Amino acid sequence: MGAIKRVCLVVLVLSLLYFSAQKLEKYQNADGRMLGGVPRFRTDVLPFLSLGQPALLSDLLMARALSYYGANRFSKDKTVFDGLFELFSQAFILDPDNSDLVLFGANTLLGFDISAAISLLELGMRYRPDYWKYPEMTGFIYYYHQKDSFMAARYYERASHLPGHPPFVPSISSKLYEESGFFDQAIGVLKNLAHGSRSDNVRQGFEERIQSIEERIRLKRFRVPTIMQSVISGTRVGLKMNRFNPYPELAASLLLDLSWQTPKVDEGERAIMCSVWRQRLGGEVLMQLNTDQGGQFIMIDDAFQGILLGDGGENLSEKLIRSVRQRPILRSGSPWQEYDGQVVQVCGFFQEVRADGEDLVLIWREADLPHGRITNADQGVFAIENWSGWLENSRQSAQSISALLTFSLQNQAFLHLLHPAQIKSCADTWPPKQKK
Amino acid sequence: MKNTLFLFGVFLRESIRNKVLWFFALAGALMILAALVLGEMVVGRPGKAIWDLGLSSINLLSLAIIVTFGVSMASSELEGRMMQLLLVKPLSRRQYLAAIYMTLMSLVLIASLSMALISWALLGFSTMALVILAVALIWNLLEMSVMGAVVLFCATLSAPQLAMFLGLCFYIIGHSLSEALRLVTVSGTALTRGVFAVLYFILPNLSLFNKKSLLASGLTLPDLWSLLWAGLYAVCCVLIWAWLAQWLFGKKEL
């Protein structure tokens, strides 16, 4: 009987060995690669592999990741670090109480993959939603590395709602909102700060800042309708006509209906009917202004291309301002005011473009202007057929979508969907400071 | 009771004389000392590696003692035909199992205290570390009390080697139950969900006693209520598995 039991035991162990090996093969990543001698397992099986010692396994994974990073730190081939994010994230999932791990991992990843660093911090926020350092560091990365003040402000604001945050966090949040032109949010943060502060002096300081922002909004309300006369006037050579070249970099360009000429500010939301043709992306030229005749493309000259392609549009405003510095800048009471003889009028910025069912809602930067609305945007006449999905995806990759409205010579209105980096500096420098 | 205590004393003396115990103790101590090397490569609060390795070694050493000594004590007397001699005396089978269980718990307590002492020394004899280690010891003892009863059940159920294997399986499954149930809840069928829900209540869920990460992080201590509930859960598990072990042992032909 004992011999039979022993044989059964051996058979059982061998079967389990084979079975577990098969399972492990399956759970290893499809590419079957190892990182620094550590097999890569699916994250959801790690708790089983830890055998009740998740913190210890986390330490071992971390130690392996760090020694591997140290050994390959000066490698020119950055692909050797593929999977380092996975190791850090798995080590953190095993031991979510080790909050420093995410901060250290994000700092390590920053050297070669900023988006991975942000993803690691997002993971940290999912597991530790009450820890202020994760959104604070994410905000810093967005500001310093991504040059995206708006997203930075959002994360700093998130950190400011969490316990234990230092006083500078909400202050930075409001500053960044202000810097990126989102004054309402900046005021909101400051009002929260003022409401929560116990000291009268501190509260007064916040209220003064709120007042100064409101003053800026008031000034902008009168000045933002600035029409930059002849931004490109007199430089018609800079505009090339091209029927076929698609434009590559901007997300999309919409041709608004001709009936929408010099619209008046009406009460309520304005419906704007659109007719747009499908466009292809790719090619060499940056900005595309659609004309009303047969799908022509107006291509911006090389200088503009350099601005927008070269540095993501950071110097767009500088270029625009430089081009008009020697010329009078006309201001008027309405962002839609027309001026004859201009090739392009840059009429205003939309703070955000949102999808509302099949409609697109265009939100002006100026709070009291009614929202624009493009009806039936999903009906296939646009390059983008699913606006909700597209905006959502674009927000994930490019954080947020703003828009620039221009008029062509023929009073044709164009809406250019822009990433914040391309529009931020424009907004900041409008109106241009007067020389003393 | 007197007989049980007498037998417990005999078993304890024998176990302490056993070289395997000292081998385990040495392995545990080396594991904690390895934290000095690992600590250089681990990010976290100061001494995190010592905490993690210290608490893990307490747990793993306890497990090793429970599995090896529990099985060997229950089976060696049987195989060596000593049991018949013992049971001729005024000693019931239940008292015999109780003596083994008490010996196991005593060994675990001694080993855990030793490991905790080494960890405490490496952590600089701080008061905070002492408190956390004391709490960790209590949780570890609760877990091992359940494991002790389970191992006794395995030892009475089958041959020593298989009993050790089964004991380890119970430990692994016990620590994976919550995760498995979570996974099955998300992606399993109704049948698997039902099966796992039943298993969840039948098998001892040792992950409920696993507070190592929380304690090692030093963020907070488990509250008293969770400790009381864990105590109740452990007592229930011990009663069920010990009763099963005793029932099986009673049926066994000597």
Side-chain angles (χ1 to χ4, degrees):
Chain A
M1 192 64 188
I4 295 172
K5 273 187 183 173
R6 271 194 282 278
V7 170
C8 289
L9 180 67
V10 169
V11 170
L12 179 67
V13 169
L14 287 177
S15 310
L16 286 175
L17 187 71
Y18 176 77
F19 183 69
S20 58
Q22 291 294 313
K23 281 287 175 194
L24 286 176
E25 285 290 340
K26 183 184 163 191
Y27 280 126
Q28 274 185 346
N29 279 359
D31 57 6
R33 281 193 298 170
M34 295 172 74
L35 184 71
V38 180
R40 291 160 65 178
F41 291 100
R42 258 174 38 185
T43 304
D44 53 358
V45 299
L46 279 177
F48 300 103
L49 296 177
S50 69
L51 304 182
Q53 317 294 331
L56 186 59
L57 183 59
S58 167
D59 287 354
L60 294 174
L61 279 177
M62 198 192 320
R64 199 69 197 93
L66 291 185
S67 63
Y68 182 75
Y69 174 72
N72 295 282
R73 191 177 168 193
F74 298 108
S75 170
K76 288 178 182 172
D77 178 16
K78 295 298 179 194
T79 59
V80 299
F81 296 121
D82 286 351
L84 205 54
F85 162 77
E86 205 176 333
L87 267 184
F88 276 123
S89 58
Q90 289 182 343
F92 176 69
I93 287 168
L94 283 168
D95 189 8
D97 293 321
N98 187 7
S99 49
D100 292 343
L101 172 56
V102 166
L103 298 175
F104 182 85
N107 266 319
T108 308
L109 292 169
L110 264 182
F112 49 89
D113 190 350
I114 292 172
S115 62
I118 292 173
S119 298
L120 189 63
L121 287 162
E122 290 281 359
L123 180 79
M125 283 179 252
R126 206 159 66 238
Y127 277 80
R128 295 282 305 277
D130 57 336
Y131 192 50
W132 66 271
K133 278 189 181 175
Y134 296 155
E136 190 263 345
M137 187 175 175
T138 314
F140 173 77
I141 292 173
Y142 270 112
Y143 181 72
Y144 188 76
H145 294 278
Q146 304 282 69
K147 315 290 183 202
D148 186 344
S149 302
F150 175 63
M151 285 302 286
R154 284 177 63 173
Y155 278 101
Y156 273 108
E157 187 187 3
R158 186 169 169 179
S160 72
H161 293 304
L162 298 176
H165 68 81
F168 70 82
V169 170
S171 182
I172 288 178
S173 169
S174 72
K175 277 273 185 198
L176 291 175
Y177 270 133
E178 197 179 337
E179 186 182 318
S180 52
F182 290 78
F183 298 117
D184 292 341
Q185 283 88 339
I187 289 174
V189 172
L190 286 171
K191 278 183 177 170
N192 273 341
L193 278 173
H195 183 70
S197 66
R198 293 174 185 171
S199 158
D200 288 339
N201 287 338
V202 174
R203 191 181 306 120
Q204 192 181 348
F206 288 133
E207 281 164 359
E208 281 172 8
R209 271 188 66 191
I210 291 171
Q211 281 171 6
S212 86
I213 293 174
E214 284 173 345
E215 178 64 16
R216 276 190 71 185
I217 293 174
R218 201 178 62 77
L219 285 173
K220 261 183 173 288
R221 198 160 294 156
F222 290 105
R223 288 184 185 177
V224 162
T226 300
I227 290 176
M228 302 179 73
Q229 186 184 17
S230 305
V231 168
I232 317 174
S233 78
T235 57
R236 270 176 177 271
V237 289
L239 297 174
K240 300 171 187 171
M241 303 297 289
N242 188 323
R243 282 175 182 274
F244 305 108
N245 251 355
Y247 94 34
E249 190 68 13
L250 295 181
S253 172
L254 313 180
L255 174 62
L256 304 183
D257 192 71
L258 283 173
S259 64
W260 194 54
Q261 292 179 359
T262 322
K264 299 286 184 282
V265 178
D266 296 326
E267 289 180 5
E269 291 184 344
R270 183 186 303 106
I272 306 163
M273 297 302 294
C274 302
S275 61
V276 179
W277 62 85
R278 184 177 294 276
Q279 64 177 21
R280 289 175 299 148
L281 298 180
E284 301 168 351
V285 186
L286 175 73
M287 188 182 279
Q288 171 183 308
L289 300 178
N290 298 332
T291 69
D292 56 341
Q293 301 298 321
Q296 290 178 330
F297 294 86
I298 299 177
M299 315 302 284
I300 299 298
D301 64 357
D302 291 340
F304 261 92
Q305 189 176 329
I307 297 164
L308 291 168
L309 280 180
D311 55 16
E314 277 291 281
N315 296 319
L316 176 60
S317 66
E318 177 62 24
K319 190 70 180 177
L320 287 172
I321 298 301
R322 196 187 302 154
S323 67
V324 296
R325 237 169 218 158
Q326 290 88 26
R327 301 182 178 90
I329 300 172
L330 302 180
R331 301 190 179 93
S332 70
S334 162
W336 300 287
Q337 182 97 28
E338 294 174 53
Y339 284 86
D340 290 333
Q342 295 169 18
V343 175
V344 170
Q345 298 168 1
V346 180
C347 297
F349 294 104
F350 290 110
Q351 178 175 300
E352 197 175 353
V353 180
R354 288 184 195 154
D356 179 16
E358 290 191 345
D359 297 353
L360 278 186
V361 179
L362 313 174
I363 300 166
W364 289 96
R365 292 172 60 83
E366 294 72 42
D368 58 345
L369 290 179
H371 296 174
R373 181 175 284 269
I374 301 175
T375 56
N376 298 326
D378 275 353
Q379 285 188 348
V381 289
F382 289 90
I384 298 151
E385 291 178 0
N386 175 7
W387 275 98
S388 303
W390 185 85
L391 283 169
E392 194 176 330
N393 289 336
S394 300
R395 283 203 180 88
Q396 279 172 4
S397 61
Q399 296 92 52
S400 66
I401 299 299
S402 303
L404 171 67
L405 180 72
T406 62
F407 275 93
S408 74
L409 184 62
Q410 296 84 8
N411 266 336
Q412 199 78 41
F414 302 101
L415 183 70
H416 308 278
L417 301 181
L418 299 171
H419 295 168
Q422 292 169 323
I423 204 166
K424 177 181 81 64
S425 50
C426 300
D428 283 349
T429 44
W430 274 12
K433 288 175 184 170
Q434 299 292 332
K435 286 183 180 175
K436 291 181 180 175
Chain B
M1 189 64 188
K2 192 179 170 186
N3 294 334
T4 310
L5 286 175
F6 176 76
L7 201 56
F8 159 64
V10 173
F11 282 154
L12 191 61
R13 271 199 304 277
E14 271 188 23
S15 301
I16 290 173
R17 283 184 199 138
N18 197 328
K19 286 176 187 165
V20 177
L21 180 67
W22 298 103
F23 174 74
F24 283 156
L26 181 67
L30 286 176
M31 197 171 156
I32 296 175
L33 291 174
L36 296 176
V37 180
L38 187 66
E40 298 294 322
M41 306 172 75
V42 169
V43 179
R45 67 185 286 225
K48 183 180 183 308
I50 298 172
W51 277 112
D52 288 339
L53 270 168
L55 297 182
S56 289
S57 65
I58 289 172
N59 189 249
L60 291 175
L61 180 65
S62 305
L63 175 73
I65 288 171
I66 288 269
V67 171
T68 52
F69 281 77
V71 171
S72 68
M73 273 193 283
S75 58
S76 63
E77 307 294 336
L78 266 174
E79 290 189 344
R81 298 287 169 193
M82 291 293 290
M83 178 69 73
Q84 290 84 340
L85 293 176
L86 276 173
L87 292 180
V88 169
K89 309 282 181 194
L91 181 77
S92 69
R93 295 186 184 198
R94 192 177 58 189
Q95 286 172 323
Y96 177 77
L97 281 184
I100 294 178
Y101 186 76
M102 286 166 66
T103 311
L104 285 180
M105 289 299 104
S106 306
L107 288 175
V108 164
L109 185 63
I110 294 166
S112 305
L113 280 172
S114 313
M115 294 298 112
L117 197 63
I118 298 172
S119 301
W120 190 37
L122 289 179
L123 290 165
F125 296 109
S126 73
T127 314
M128 190 61 199
L130 182 65
V131 173
I132 294 175
L133 282 169
V135 175
L137 280 183
I138 294 170
W139 283 92
N140 184 58
L141 281 177
L142 287 177
E143 181 183 345
M144 288 306 138
S145 64
V146 176
M147 268 309 290
V150 170
V151 165
L152 276 187
F153 167 79
C154 297
T156 53
L157 182 73
S158 60
Q161 295 90 339
L162 194 57
M164 282 188 193
F165 180 74
L166 281 177
L168 288 174
C169 285
F170 269 105
Y171 178 80
I172 294 167
I173 292 168
H175 274 286
S176 311
L177 262 183
S178 296
E179 280 295 328
L181 189 68
R182 200 171 299 139
L183 271 182
V184 168
T185 308
V186 173
S187 58
T189 61
L191 179 68
T192 51
R193 276 199 294 272
V195 168
F196 269 83
V198 172
L199 284 177
Y200 184 81
F201 287 104
I202 290 176
L203 298 172
N205 187 356
L206 300 177
S207 61
L208 297 177
F209 302 107
N210 192 355
K211 302 289 176 192
K212 290 192 283 291
S213 294
L214 181 68
L215 290 168
S217 70
L219 295 174
T220 177
L221 292 174
D223 63 19
L224 193 61
W225 277 109
S226 69
L227 187 64
L228 289 175
W229 284 116
L232 182 65
Y233 181 77
V235 168
C236 293
C237 283
V238 169
L239 286 176
I240 291 168
W241 290 94
W243 180 81
L244 282 173
Q246 184 206 329
W247 180 72
L248 276 176
F249 197 52
K251 295 274 179 191
K252 207 159 211 162
E253 288 184 11
L254 299 175

